[in-house]
PDB file of all heavy atoms in Angstrom:
ATOM      1  N   VAL A   7      15.980   5.736 -45.370  1.00 47.00           N
ATOM      2  CA  VAL A   7      16.032   4.838 -44.134  1.00 47.00           C
ATOM      3  C   VAL A   7      16.153   5.704 -42.961  1.00 47.00           C
ATOM      4  O   VAL A   7      17.075   6.569 -42.864  1.00 47.00           O
ATOM      5  CB  VAL A   7      17.197   3.893 -44.288  1.00 47.00           C
ATOM      6  CG1 VAL A   7      17.332   3.011 -43.027  1.00 47.00           C
ATOM      7  CG2 VAL A   7      17.099   3.086 -45.563  1.00 47.00           C
ATOM      8  N   SER A   8      15.270   5.487 -42.018  1.00 47.00           N
ATOM      9  CA  SER A   8      15.368   6.298 -40.775  1.00 47.00           C
ATOM     10  C   SER A   8      16.471   5.837 -39.833  1.00 47.00           C
ATOM     11  O   SER A   8      17.010   4.743 -40.073  1.00 47.00           O
ATOM     12  CB  SER A   8      13.981   6.165 -39.977  1.00 47.00           C
ATOM     13  OG  SER A   8      13.884   4.848 -39.463  1.00 47.00           O
ATOM     14  N   SER A   9      16.866   6.687 -38.922  1.00 49.00           N
ATOM     15  CA  SER A   9      17.921   6.280 -38.067  1.00 49.00           C
ATOM     16  C   SER A   9      17.595   5.159 -37.119  1.00 49.00           C
ATOM     17  O   SER A   9      18.401   4.605 -36.414  1.00 49.00           O
ATOM     18  CB  SER A   9      18.366   7.502 -37.225  1.00 49.00           C
ATOM     19  OG  SER A   9      17.233   7.900 -36.407  1.00 49.00           O
ATOM     20  N   HIS A  10      16.247   4.788 -37.001  1.00 49.00           N
ATOM     21  CA  HIS A  10      15.779   3.799 -36.130  1.00 49.00           C
ATOM     22  C   HIS A  10      15.809   2.460 -36.828  1.00 49.00           C
ATOM     23  O   HIS A  10      15.647   1.451 -36.185  1.00 49.00           O
ATOM     24  CB  HIS A  10      14.378   4.034 -35.636  1.00 49.00           C
ATOM     25  CG  HIS A  10      14.259   5.305 -34.817  1.00 49.00           C
ATOM     26  ND1 HIS A  10      14.787   5.381 -33.576  1.00 49.00           N
ATOM     27  CD2 HIS A  10      13.640   6.412 -35.055  1.00 49.00           C
ATOM     28  CE1 HIS A  10      14.587   6.561 -33.091  1.00 49.00           C
ATOM     29  NE2 HIS A  10      13.880   7.227 -33.933  1.00 49.00           N
ATOM     30  N   GLY A  11      16.064   2.376 -38.040  1.00 50.00           N
ATOM     31  CA  GLY A  11      16.062   1.133 -38.809  1.00 50.00           C
ATOM     32  C   GLY A  11      14.694   0.892 -39.484  1.00 50.00           C
ATOM     33  O   GLY A  11      13.757   1.702 -39.396  1.00 50.00           O
ATOM     34  N   GLU A  12      14.549  -0.234 -40.126  1.00 48.00           N
ATOM     35  CA  GLU A  12      13.323  -0.546 -40.867  1.00 48.00           C
ATOM     36  C   GLU A  12      12.147  -0.976 -40.018  1.00 48.00           C
ATOM     37  O   GLU A  12      10.983  -0.613 -40.372  1.00 48.00           O
ATOM     38  CB  GLU A  12      13.641  -1.650 -41.869  1.00 48.00           C
ATOM     39  CG  GLU A  12      14.643  -1.209 -42.988  1.00 48.00           C
ATOM     40  CD  GLU A  12      13.961  -0.254 -43.978  1.00 48.00           C
ATOM     41  OE1 GLU A  12      12.743  -0.293 -44.233  1.00 48.00           O
ATOM     42  OE2 GLU A  12      14.759   0.541 -44.547  1.00 48.00           O
ATOM     43  N   ASP A  13      12.378  -1.788 -38.975  1.00 50.00           N
ATOM     44  CA  ASP A  13      11.299  -2.362 -38.278  1.00 50.00           C
ATOM     45  C   ASP A  13      10.872  -1.611 -37.036  1.00 50.00           C
ATOM     46  O   ASP A  13       9.915  -2.075 -36.405  1.00 50.00           O
ATOM     47  CB  ASP A  13      11.728  -3.811 -37.798  1.00 50.00           C
ATOM     48  CG  ASP A  13      11.990  -4.713 -38.946  1.00 50.00           C
ATOM     49  OD1 ASP A  13      11.421  -4.469 -40.033  1.00 50.00           O
ATOM     50  OD2 ASP A  13      12.830  -5.640 -38.860  1.00 50.00           O
ATOM     51  N   HIS A  14      11.348  -0.494 -36.735  1.00 54.00           N
ATOM     52  CA  HIS A  14      10.941   0.234 -35.574  1.00 54.00           C
ATOM     53  C   HIS A  14       9.787   1.155 -35.848  1.00 54.00           C
ATOM     54  O   HIS A  14       9.904   2.177 -36.570  1.00 54.00           O
ATOM     55  CB  HIS A  14      12.160   1.098 -35.018  1.00 54.00           C
ATOM     56  CG  HIS A  14      13.244   0.278 -34.417  1.00 54.00           C
ATOM     57  ND1 HIS A  14      13.125  -0.333 -33.289  1.00 54.00           N
ATOM     58  CD2 HIS A  14      14.422  -0.052 -34.922  1.00 54.00           C
ATOM     59  CE1 HIS A  14      14.236  -0.997 -32.973  1.00 54.00           C
ATOM     60  NE2 HIS A  14      15.040  -0.865 -34.013  1.00 54.00           N
ATOM     61  N   GLY A  15       8.603   0.743 -35.372  1.00 59.00           N
ATOM     62  CA  GLY A  15       7.439   1.630 -35.589  1.00 59.00           C
ATOM     63  C   GLY A  15       7.313   2.570 -34.384  1.00 59.00           C
ATOM     64  O   GLY A  15       7.912   2.362 -33.277  1.00 59.00           O
ATOM     65  N   HIS A  16       6.627   3.624 -34.588  1.00 70.00           N
ATOM     66  CA  HIS A  16       6.456   4.608 -33.517  1.00 70.00           C
ATOM     67  C   HIS A  16       5.104   4.488 -32.906  1.00 70.00           C
ATOM     68  O   HIS A  16       4.654   5.438 -32.309  1.00 70.00           O
ATOM     69  CB  HIS A  16       6.723   6.012 -34.032  1.00 70.00           C
ATOM     70  CG  HIS A  16       8.150   6.270 -34.313  1.00 70.00           C
ATOM     71  ND1 HIS A  16       9.051   6.432 -33.276  1.00 70.00           N
ATOM     72  CD2 HIS A  16       8.829   6.322 -35.440  1.00 70.00           C
ATOM     73  CE1 HIS A  16      10.309   6.653 -33.822  1.00 70.00           C
ATOM     74  NE2 HIS A  16      10.177   6.558 -35.125  1.00 70.00           N
ATOM     75  N   GLY A  17       4.468   3.399 -33.050  1.00 76.00           N
ATOM     76  CA  GLY A  17       3.155   3.156 -32.422  1.00 76.00           C
ATOM     77  C   GLY A  17       2.001   3.613 -33.333  1.00 76.00           C
ATOM     78  O   GLY A  17       2.227   4.339 -34.329  1.00 76.00           O
ATOM     79  N   SER A  18       0.871   3.105 -33.014  1.00 87.00           N
ATOM     80  CA  SER A  18      -0.262   3.428 -33.808  1.00 87.00           C
ATOM     81  C   SER A  18      -1.143   4.285 -32.966  1.00 87.00           C
ATOM     82  O   SER A  18      -0.932   4.541 -31.737  1.00 87.00           O
ATOM     83  CB  SER A  18      -1.030   2.124 -34.207  1.00 87.00           C
ATOM     84  OG  SER A  18      -1.477   1.457 -32.997  1.00 87.00           O
ATOM     85  N   ILE A  19      -2.240   4.803 -33.557  1.00 91.00           N
ATOM     86  CA  ILE A  19      -3.170   5.655 -32.818  1.00 91.00           C
ATOM     87  C   ILE A  19      -3.785   4.782 -31.712  1.00 91.00           C
ATOM     88  O   ILE A  19      -4.002   5.331 -30.602  1.00 91.00           O
ATOM     89  CB  ILE A  19      -4.250   6.145 -33.753  1.00 91.00           C
ATOM     90  CG1 ILE A  19      -3.666   7.036 -34.861  1.00 91.00           C
ATOM     91  CG2 ILE A  19      -5.366   6.870 -33.018  1.00 91.00           C
ATOM     92  CD1 ILE A  19      -3.042   8.249 -34.325  1.00 91.00           C
ATOM     93  N   VAL A  20      -4.091   3.556 -31.959  1.00 92.00           N
ATOM     94  CA  VAL A  20      -4.699   2.668 -30.922  1.00 92.00           C
ATOM     95  C   VAL A  20      -3.780   2.512 -29.708  1.00 92.00           C
ATOM     96  O   VAL A  20      -4.250   2.613 -28.554  1.00 92.00           O
ATOM     97  CB  VAL A  20      -5.013   1.296 -31.589  1.00 92.00           C
ATOM     98  CG1 VAL A  20      -5.566   0.330 -30.445  1.00 92.00           C
ATOM     99  CG2 VAL A  20      -6.045   1.418 -32.617  1.00 92.00           C
ATOM    100  N   SER A  21      -2.464   2.371 -29.936  1.00 91.00           N
ATOM    101  CA  SER A  21      -1.568   2.185 -28.891  1.00 91.00           C
ATOM    102  C   SER A  21      -1.415   3.516 -28.030  1.00 91.00           C
ATOM    103  O   SER A  21      -1.338   3.483 -26.770  1.00 91.00           O
ATOM    104  CB  SER A  21      -0.198   1.726 -29.288  1.00 91.00           C
ATOM    105  OG  SER A  21       0.483   2.687 -29.901  1.00 91.00           O
ATOM    106  N   TYR A  22      -1.461   4.614 -28.671  1.00 93.00           N
ATOM    107  CA  TYR A  22      -1.450   5.918 -27.998  1.00 93.00           C
ATOM    108  C   TYR A  22      -2.727   6.161 -27.218  1.00 93.00           C
ATOM    109  O   TYR A  22      -2.659   6.603 -25.978  1.00 93.00           O
ATOM    110  CB  TYR A  22      -1.224   7.091 -28.941  1.00 93.00           C
ATOM    111  CG  TYR A  22       0.160   7.167 -29.448  1.00 93.00           C
ATOM    112  CD1 TYR A  22       0.360   7.147 -30.830  1.00 93.00           C
ATOM    113  CD2 TYR A  22       1.188   7.396 -28.593  1.00 93.00           C
ATOM    114  CE1 TYR A  22       1.731   7.289 -31.351  1.00 93.00           C
ATOM    115  CE2 TYR A  22       2.459   7.555 -29.042  1.00 93.00           C
ATOM    116  CZ  TYR A  22       2.706   7.492 -30.415  1.00 93.00           C
ATOM    117  OH  TYR A  22       4.062   7.640 -30.846  1.00 93.00           O
TER     118      TYR A  22
END
Side-chain angles (χ1 to χ4, degrees):
V7 178
S8 70
S9 62
H10 297 294
E12 293 288 330
D13 294 332
H14 291 286
H16 288 286
S18 64
I19 298 295
V20 174
S21 72
Y22 284 121

